[in-house]
Amino acid sequence: QVQVVESGGGLVQAGGPLRLSCAASGRTFSSYAMGWFRQAPGKEREFVAAISPSGARTYYADSLKGRFTISRDNAKTTVYLQMNSLKPEDTAVYYCAARYGLSSGSIYPKENDYGYWGQGTQVTVSS
């Protein structure tokens, strides 16, 4: 099993950057694929980005390509989401999720793929 805890959320002005972190417990973190999702008020939770267990593969929601970057440090059992050029519509609760990867290159963009979720961290972008 793995537990994940998000951090790094807060209030930021439009156009600014913010980096979220997701710290995971467990000695087999390098076997877990990770994902970031977000849920804006009154909306369904949506996929943001995913990364394979090795970190070699990443995948993004089309609308976020070029602004968001997912990365991981397996030695620190942490995954990151670097968000640049933030917009008010990026305001949401951001969730980190984990699942055991079938291979080092496995990547999972669907919410139902994940079995372990954090509590979320609020990101608010002011205009």
Side-chain angles (χ1 to χ4, degrees), residues 22-69:
C22 173
S25 65
R27 291 173 291 178
T28 58
F29 177 74
S30 60
S31 297
Y32 281 78
M34 304 295 293
W36 284 99
F37 293 78
R38 69 184 184 182
Q39 187 168 20
K43 294 187 177 181
E44 298 284 321
R45 188 155 57 183
E46 65 176 356
F47 169 74
V48 173
I51 190 166
S52 62
S54 68
R57 295 184 64 206
T58 58
Y59 185 73
Y60 297 91
D62 286 343
S63 62
L64 301 176
K65 287 180 182 177
R67 293 197 300 124
F68 288 17
T69 302

Side-chain angles (χ1 to χ4, degrees), residues 18-123:
L18 197 65
R19 188 177 81 158
L20 304 182
S21 298
C22 173
S25 65
R27 291 173 291 178
T28 58
F29 177 74
S30 60
S31 297
Y32 281 78
M34 304 295 293
W36 284 99
F37 293 78
R38 69 184 184 182
Q39 187 168 20
K43 294 187 177 181
E44 298 284 321
R45 188 155 57 183
E46 65 176 356
F47 169 74
V48 173
I51 190 166
S52 62
S54 68
R57 295 184 64 206
T58 58
Y59 185 73
Y60 297 91
D62 286 343
S63 62
L64 301 176
K65 287 180 182 177
R67 293 197 300 124
F68 288 17
T69 302
I70 189 171
S71 62
R72 67 190 294 161
D73 185 335
N74 283 347
K76 295 183 178 179
T77 66
T78 301
V79 64
Y80 305 97
L81 184 68
Q82 177 67 45
M83 305 184 291
N84 296 326
S85 303
L86 282 163
K87 305 175 181 180
E89 51 263 44
D90 293 318
T91 295
V93 177
Y94 283 72
Y95 296 92
C96 177
R99 68 151 286 158
Y100 189 81
L102 296 179
S103 72
S104 62
S106 297
I107 203 159
Y108 304 94
K110 297 181 181 179
E111 185 175 344
N112 289 343
D113 289 327
Y114 294 88
Y116 304 100
W117 292 83
Q119 293 298 308
T121 186
Q122 176 71 47
V123 172

